């Protein structure tokens, strides 16, 4: 079985500060990794994904994430956040040879002016 | 359509009644997912359809929950004898195909159906 842990339920940060949203996973098989974002009153949309190759992946809106296999982590980072980044961020995994997407509980990023 | 469409957007029902939630995936998408989003619980996987394969029902919380997908397109999630703990936002997503390098792996989500059981 697989599980995804997002330890921080809320992350408050001031505008233009850097941010890291943590994601750890547990799986007995290899997985693909994703971050999805849900802006207020909107549906979820893909932010970035890791399938293979370089462990540092870049997504939309200046976000990036690094896959660390030894630590089973896929933390999301942005060097300088904007007010518009205020949203709920979900980490997800998909085990190899399945198409199931398993999500974490989400992290609410609140950016203050 | 342009995106995943779910109906109704809001549903208030009395405890014990049955409800049906509908999902219209993006045309041509073979994979369809149902999730439940509750406050503080993240997205709870419910069921997954892929083409003509048997659905993965491992996430359905009880036998009151069922889902079908007719003709490989529209899906209906049915909750029988609703309980207050069923109150949540039910999200549907679809994707073009299998996961993996070189494949289209993005799942597109609908706006959800907010179910309130009173």
């Amino acid at each position: 079985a697989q599980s995804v842990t997002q330890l921080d339920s809320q992350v408050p940060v001031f505008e233009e500060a850097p941010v890291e949203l943590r994601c750890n996973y547990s799986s007995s098989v290899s997985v693909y990794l994703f971050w999805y974002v849900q802006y207020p009153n909107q549906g979820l949309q893909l932010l970035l994904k890791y399938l293979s190759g370089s462990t540092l992946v870049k997504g939309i809106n200046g976000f990036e994430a690094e896959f660390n296999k030894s630590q089973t982590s896929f933390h999301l980072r942005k060097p300088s956040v904007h007010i518009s980044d205020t949203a709920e961020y979900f980490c997800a995994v998909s085990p190899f040879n399945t198409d199931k997407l398993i999500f974490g509980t989400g992290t609410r990023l609140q950016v203050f002016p | 359509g342009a995106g995943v469409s779910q109906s109704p957007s809001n549903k208030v029902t009395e405890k014990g009644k049955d409800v049906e939630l509908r999902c219209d995936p993006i045309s041509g998408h073979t994979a369809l997912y149902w999730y439940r989003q509750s406050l503080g619980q993240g997205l709870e996987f419910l069921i997954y359809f892929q083409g003509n394969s048997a659905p993965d029902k491992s996430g359905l919380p009880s036998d009151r929950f069922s889902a079908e997908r007719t003709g490989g397109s529209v899906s209906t999630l049915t909750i029988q004898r609703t309980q207050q703990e069923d109150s949540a936002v039910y999200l549907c997503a679809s994707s073009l195909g299998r996961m993996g390098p070189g494949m289209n792996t993005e799942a597109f989500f609908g706006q959800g159906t907010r179910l309130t059981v009173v």
Side-chain angles (χ1 to χ4, degrees):
Chain A
Q2 292 77 33
S3 66
V4 179
T5 301
Q6 293 181 249
L7 285 173
D8 305 309
S9 58
Q10 294 188 66
V11 173
V13 64
F14 286 109
E15 195 173 20
E16 298 182 5
V19 71
E20 178 180 84
L21 306 183
R22 295 180 294 168
C23 172
N24 288 85
Y25 68 93
S26 173
S27 177
S28 56
V29 300
S30 296
V31 297
Y32 302 116
L33 296 140
F34 306 81
W35 276 97
Y36 278 79
V37 59
Q38 186 177 32
Y39 296 105
N41 301 314
Q42 295 187 29
L44 277 84
Q45 60 183 252
L46 182 67
L47 195 58
L48 50 76
K49 60 189 176 187
Y50 172 78
L51 305 179
S52 66
S54 173
T55 56
L56 182 64
V57 291
K58 296 187 183 298
I60 61 173
N61 300 337
F63 283 92
E64 63 181 32
E66 185 157 21
F67 170 50
N68 187 318
K69 189 173 183 178
S70 63
Q71 296 185 5
T72 59
S73 68
F74 191 54
H75 301 330
L76 181 70
R77 302 186 187 100
K78 186 168 182 178
S80 176
V81 295
H82 301 290
I83 298 285
S84 59
D85 292 324
T86 293
E88 189 93 22
Y89 291 80
F90 293 93
C91 182
V93 301
S94 181
F96 280 16
N97 299 322
T98 79
D99 303 304
K100 186 186 293 189
L101 266 178
I102 301 161
F103 286 84
T105 51
T107 297
R108 175 161 178 74
L109 176 64
Q110 181 76 49
V111 182
F112 295 94
Chain B
V4 177
S5 177
Q6 292 187 246
S7 60
S9 55
N10 281 283
K11 176 73 177 178
V12 180
T13 189
E14 292 181 350
K15 178 181 173 181
K17 300 282 189 183
D18 298 352
V19 295
E20 285 189 353
L21 312 180
R22 178 187 169 102
C23 173
D24 282 272
I26 294 173
S27 178
H29 280 195
T30 59
L32 187 147
Y33 309 78
W34 282 100
Y35 292 89
R36 178 167 69 177
Q37 185 176 20
S38 306
L39 192 63
Q41 299 297 315
L43 275 76
E44 178 187 3
F45 168 79
L46 297 178
I47 188 170
Y48 161 68
F49 298 88
Q50 171 60 282
N52 295 321
S53 302
D56 180 341
K57 304 179 181 180
S58 59
L60 294 178
S62 77
D63 59 8
R64 296 187 295 105
F65 288 73
S66 63
E68 61 178 25
R69 189 178 184 190
T70 53
S73 181
V74 172
S75 177
T76 302
L77 177 69
T78 301
I79 309 173
Q80 296 178 310
R81 305 181 301 282
T82 52
Q83 303 295 314
Q84 288 186 328
E85 60 263 29
D86 299 333
S87 296
V89 176
Y90 289 82
L91 293 171
C92 176
S94 70
S95 71
L96 191 59
R98 309 305 295 266
M99 296 285 182
M103 300 181 185
N104 189 317
T105 53
E106 181 173 359
F108 293 84
F109 282 80
Q111 296 288 335
T113 294
R114 182 176 296 278
L115 175 67
T116 303
V117 181
V118 297

